[in-house]
Amino acid sequence: MEEHAPQRDPDGPPVELIVVRAENPGPMTLTGTNSYVVRAGDEVWVVDPGPRDPEHLAELLLRCGADCRPRGVLVTHRHLDHTAGAATLARQLAARSGNEVPLHAADRSAVPGSRPLPSTLESDHGTVGHVVHLPGHTSDSVAVLVEGGRLLSGDTLLGGSSTVIVPDDGGSLSDYLQSLAILRAMTMDGRIGSIHPGHGPAYETPLDALEAIEQAIAHRRERIEEVRRARTAGVLTMDRLLRVVYGPDLPEQLEGAARWNLRATLDHLAEER
């Protein structure tokens, strides 16, 4: 798809972005999963409903509004901390509104009852968002560019932490670097003005957004060189590589994520060769 800024009737209602954070904090989810309500008047889209937590889903329903007209529910990728509550929320919105509420996912096998992703998020007054395909964290990762340059990045960029590349889910460091390059170009030409991640705080200004992208690129490039030097020096086993690259003080709860990232880096180096 072409990643143009969303176009909408200028006389239509403003597009509001509401974040609702789930109470599922942890080493991988940081402060919890950020779910987003995109509202244009009484029409709403929900992006990443998060875990199947009754209190979180009730809060999302509340923030959608009692008389809302739901247009759809969309997930940015297949991981359960973003998708587990999606089908339940779609059913609840449908029951309350009396209309079918479509559920959209790139990996339909991971989200039962889902439909293919739309290219745009529509309202009666036109387009309120565009779907941007950004593989890397997983093969099915996408973001949503909401009117006003607000990017819902899923787990492609996190607030205050680096994301994990998950080879078992089709994650690819090569794809991830390409996705970061796309985000960098979109920020530099003014299409992205802020980034709202799946976990952690937002990057509220274009400068903050660009700095976060640049830091993510620099971090991956530095890690690639660290792994390259270690392999050249004869470090061959994953256990040894883990200690050489991450040091002896790596917290146990982050070891699995570190191993995924190392596998992704080794795959990337193999592709380069």
Side-chain angles (χ1 to χ4, degrees):
M1 63 157 289
E2 296 181 6
E3 292 106 2
H4 296 299
Q7 299 297 314
R8 198 176 63 92
D9 179 0
D11 296 324
V15 178
E16 184 181 4
L17 181 62
I18 303 166
V19 58
V20 180
R21 189 182 71 200
E23 294 299 324
N24 61 335
M28 303 298 290
T29 57
L30 306 182
T31 55
T33 300
N34 294 328
S35 301
Y36 292 95
V37 177
V38 180
R39 182 202 303 274
D42 63 352
E43 298 176 85
V44 298
W45 284 83
V46 179
V47 178
D48 283 347
R52 194 162 50 203
D53 176 349
E55 292 186 5
H56 178 64
L57 296 177
E59 180 65 19
L60 278 173
L61 285 170
L62 178 66
R63 301 305 291 272
C64 285
D67 299 322
C68 74
R69 289 190 292 149
R71 297 298 300 261
V73 175
L74 182 150
V75 297
T76 60
H77 63 290
R78 64 173 66 96
H79 287 161
L80 286 173
D81 55 315
H82 295 256
T83 68
T88 299
L89 181 69
R91 288 194 298 269
Q92 291 171 334
L93 287 169
R96 193 167 69 175
S97 66
N99 297 309
E100 182 182 11
V101 178
L103 172 58
H104 300 281
D107 181 0
R108 296 171 62 194
S109 67
V111 187
S114 60
R115 303 178 183 181
L117 285 176
S119 59
T120 59
L121 277 58
E122 296 294 331
S123 74
D124 287 347
H125 296 275
T127 302
V128 298
H130 276 96
V131 174
V132 184
H133 291 264
L134 297 172
H137 169 63
T138 61
S139 59
D140 66 325
S141 289
V142 303
V144 178
L145 183 62
V146 176
E147 183 189 76
R150 294 165 287 181
L151 185 82
L152 312 184
S153 65
D155 283 2
T156 297
L157 276 176
L158 305 181
S161 180
S162 60
T163 196
V164 176
I165 310 298
V166 188
D168 289 348
D169 279 340
S172 162
L173 181 53
S174 300
D175 288 347
Y176 185 65
L177 290 171
Q178 180 62 37
S179 292
L180 291 178
I182 291 170
L183 293 183
R184 183 178 185 273
M186 292 176 67
T187 305
M188 293 186 72
D189 69 14
R191 283 177 286 174
I192 293 174
S194 60
I195 295 176
H196 305 265
H199 306 279
Y203 302 99
E204 297 284 3
T205 70
L207 184 60
D208 288 342
L210 183 59
E211 183 178 354
I213 295 165
E214 297 280 17
Q215 287 180 350
I217 293 171
H219 170 70
R220 296 296 170 176
R221 293 296 183 192
E222 180 181 358
R223 187 69 79 209
I224 289 168
E225 290 308 310
E226 289 175 342
V227 173
R228 192 197 311 274
R229 289 195 298 267
R231 297 289 278 187
T232 301
V235 178
L236 301 179
T237 68
M238 180 61 75
D239 287 343
R240 179 61 178 152
L241 189 62
L242 187 74
R243 299 309 167 198
V244 168
V245 173
Y246 285 91
D249 299 323
L250 177 69
E252 184 177 353
Q253 64 267 31
L254 296 180
E255 186 172 313
R259 288 178 181 273
W260 281 333
N261 278 337
L262 286 177
R263 280 181 53 197
T265 305
L266 291 170
D267 290 345
H268 176 75
L269 290 172
E271 291 171 18
E272 283 189 338
R273 288 197 298 269

